Amino acid sequence: MQDSDELLGAALAAPDRTPAHATRLGGRELGAQIQSWKVERAYSTDLPEALRAFSGSASAQLELLLGGNGVPAPLLYSAWAGRGTGDAVRPGQSVVHKAGANGRTVPAFRGTVRSRTAASGSDTVTVQALDGAERLRGPAQLPRPYHGLRYGRPVASATWCVDELLRQGGIHSCPPPRGPAVAEDPAKPFTVLYASLHGGFNASYGQPETLPAPASYSWIRDGAPFDTALMPKAAGLEVSWMPRSRFVVAGKVFQAELHVNTALSVGSELELKLVLDRSAGAFGNYALNVYFATGVVKITSGTVDGGGTVASWTIPKLASLKGVWHLGFTVDTRAGTTGASTPATVYPRLTAPDGEYVVPPTAPYTFTEASALQPPSELFQVNLKTDVAVECLQVTDRSWPDLTSYTADEWEQRGRWARGAVLDDATVPLFDLPKVSGSQWDAITEIARATLSTAEFDEQGVFRWRGPSRFQSVPARPDLTVTTRRDIAALTVSEEIDACRNYCEQPYQDWTGISHTFSDTVTDTVVREIRPGTPVEVAYAVAEDELDIGPLQIEDDVAPIGGHRVRFGSAATGGTSVKGRVTVGSRRDGPNYIVRFTNHGTASVWTVTKDGKPSVQIVPQKRTGDPRQRSYAWYNANSQLHYGKQVYQAPATEWVQQRQAASDLSFAMLDAGRYPVPVLGEVEVLHDPRIQLGDVVRVVDTSGAMLDTLAWVVGIRTTCASGAAPQQTLTLRGTSYNGVPADAGLTPDPPVDPGYGTQRTYSLIEAQNASLDVLTTSRISYRELLNAPGSAA
């Protein structure tokens, strides 16, 4: 139920009420010109109607009949109307509709206009609008890394995929990437890694590199900083990612950040490390270490598994105040130049659970020690080691240029985003992400149907994803009670055998033994000049079945590497190798693997091997084979005894990739359908604008079936004409079945007539009677003759 105030509650409970509504189009209030309105919401699924609450998407639709204001409506709002008035109802325009009684309203619809139709010669323009699903009409794309196959461990979940599709449509459940777009200007901020950790290690930008064992962590929602967080089960949980851009370290400002809940911990430490690729096979790092028990924050610059220098700050509040912290650090390397060892100025950034932007007690620290200077290098990997719940990790290249003027609003991205989605528990683990097609809404609908989940936008425009456990427990109390004495004008109760599913089978893909391997190597045919300050993008073809790969690793002459690589030479004929001067990024765009080179030096370099050949070598990844198709089934023998075997075989889908997930889904369907649950259709009730899909309604019928039961709302249709009371029709599904059949006092007839095959044949009658006269004299009836005792044929 939607929240409301006491005045609206009293108005809806009063014997008499006056309908109220408010409608804004393009932010302009046009409620007084609305001749009629209709809002419809219902789950769409391939399942029988009685089971549809457990699966599918719901997209609300609003239809308005809009009149004029002294001027005919077509003149004001048709497709050819002047922009001054017509733009208020143009396709794509915003629509907000509220409804209520006695001057009090609550949200009823939020979306955008899809169409407008003007009837010439009338005073009516019909406007049709769709809710937030209209925002998800962009092409659906999902990152498909090979690392889940590499380790035989889940890399994502169905919930993570939904969250990623929402993010692509501009709908966020946690702070978004700071610089998601690939900008032409190489000075603008750019997100090189973004991992929401909303039910998966897969990254929107970048890729997971190493994955922990599933037994070592869980995905939690209670206590997550925003929606879903990674929760370690033991101290020191480790995971790592590769960025989508191997940016050069020198001459810029970059930062790394994440959100944690220190009240949910199995230890007291966290480490976020940026690993740098130096020459000769060596690696450096910048690392943030946080010690929550003591309130100490350290930033290290040095060599991986070697020496370095540590800057330290003590922040007492970090130890004394448990809760959600926003942590990170900024690295300023502008004092150095490309091609030489680089000093860095570093500074931690923190926002406390009470919202305070905590300023460290001392100024930024500048590393000048020889052990802290970083030779020419590029970002190679991002490592996380945590004892606390973590969410929303990201690394930004070219961030805010001035460390001391960096504001709290900039750090928190205030005013840049609003939370528009609420997820459910992460279920249905994925080792390999399925290919998706169509729009983002199409893909979300497909996932909902495959995983017995529901997807919808509520009246306030917030997207809500609910998993298969949503309807598995009977609610303790209803959100609303409706009775035939006052609220219900019409009620139809139906029960059908199609609502019974007592043998439920769920196919799944078995990925056991499937790994990844190298595909055909792609070698460039051209030596390319990369001039200073001018990004160069090159598209290389990849096959549809090939998985996503990261950016090329940069080779040097001291420690040559093979595989996925590029070498930059100081001359077109080969020259000497160049490190720490060129940023190499990559992205997948359909059939193309696009590489972006940006030269931050002062002289051109070339993509050339030591002996003068093109040096770009791309090594795609693919899986070693196809998974085996298996299935898992649950059944209920008692239900089969009463209703016979009623099978439900879920469609085979790529979204179920684990035996346990198949078992859970199969059991959820069996739990929903082992006995037919009644459907209460066309329940006409007094309009209550607070009712939402998924609410629990107590239905009390004292005039017909003497019914008193709880039911879920799975469909809502509300219509209202000007001057009339709104009419609201609900479709309800019972929360439980009406007990196990007892058939008391009944002796059900068998499915086959017991007399079939027991009647005497003509030849037997002839053999048992000497003549027709004997039968005539006995005066036996024809039926008695056929069914005489002991007369087996």
Side-chain angles (χ1 to χ4, degrees), residues 75-131:
L75 186 61
L76 295 173
Y77 305 118
S78 76
W80 292 104
R83 290 296 181 185
T85 55
D87 278 353
V89 296
R90 64 166 176 79
Q93 187 57 272
S94 67
V95 181
V96 175
H97 180 68
K98 298 182 179 181
N102 298 0
R104 312 295 293 186
T105 60
V106 293
F109 178 89
R110 182 177 291 265
T112 54
V113 174
R114 281 192 59 80
S115 68
R116 56 179 169 179
T117 304
S120 186
S122 71
D123 188 29
T124 300
V125 172
T126 302
V127 178
Q128 293 183 322
L130 193 67
D131 67 4

Side-chain angles (χ1 to χ4, degrees), residues 50 184 205 220 252 259 287 304 356 390 497 520 580 612 615 632 637 643 654 684 757 776 791:
E184 288 298 322
Y205 304 119
I220 63 167
K252 60 177 59 181
H259 297 260
V304 173
E356 180 191 358
V390 179
I497 194 67
D520 296 333
S615 65
Y632 196 94
Y643 293 100
E654 294 182 280
E684 295 183 23
T776 303
S791 57

Side-chain angles (χ1 to χ4, degrees), residues 720-761:
C720 181
S722 180
Q727 294 180 320
Q728 189 172 52
T729 303
L730 306 178
T731 301
L732 308 175
R733 180 188 187 275
T735 59
S736 183
Y737 52 89
N738 185 25
V740 179
D743 295 341
L746 302 176
T747 306
D749 289 321
V752 177
D753 187 344
Y756 178 77
T758 65
Q759 296 173 336
R760 293 191 292 182
T761 63

Side-chain angles (χ1 to χ4, degrees), residues 615-649:
S615 65
V616 173
Q617 180 173 287
I618 298 166
V619 184
Q621 299 276 337
K622 64 180 181 180
R623 60 196 191 196
T624 56
D626 294 326
R628 289 171 291 278
Q629 195 73 25
R630 304 187 190 279
S631 62
Y632 196 94
W634 281 89
Y635 65 91
N636 186 285
N638 196 38
S639 173
Q640 293 176 1
L641 179 65
H642 293 286
Y643 293 100
K645 291 186 177 181
Q646 303 291 334
V647 64
Y648 173 76
Q649 185 172 26

Side-chain angles (χ1 to χ4, degrees), residues 176-197:
R178 295 183 180 272
V182 181
E184 288 298 322
D185 184 356
K188 288 187 175 181
F190 184 58
T191 301
V192 300
L193 174 65
Y194 181 85
S196 66
L197 297 174

Side-chain angles (χ1 to χ4, degrees), residues 504-579:
C504 297
E505 185 175 345
Q506 175 66 57
Y508 69 97
Q509 293 184 334
D510 183 356
W511 288 86
T512 304
I514 308 297
S515 185
H516 72 108
T517 186
F518 300 122
S519 188
D520 296 333
T521 299
V522 178
T523 303
D524 206 346
T525 58
V526 179
V527 172
R528 304 179 187 276
E529 181 182 5
I530 313 299
R531 295 186 176 91
T534 303
V536 175
E537 284 195 353
V538 185
Y540 300 93
V542 291
E544 183 181 3
D545 63 340
E546 291 176 339
L547 303 170
D548 293 350
I549 47 178
L552 299 160
Q553 190 171 348
I554 300 169
E555 184 181 32
D556 68 88
D557 294 339
V558 179
I561 58 175
H564 195 60
R565 58 177 169 76
V566 61
R567 177 188 182 273
F568 297 109
S570 59
T573 55
T576 58
S577 62
V578 176
K579 283 283 288 180

Side-chain angles (χ1 to χ4, degrees), residues 706-722:
M706 303 304 290
L707 181 69
D708 188 345
T709 187
L710 298 180
W712 278 299
V713 178
V714 297
I716 308 173
R717 182 176 69 251
T718 308
T719 61
C720 181
S722 180

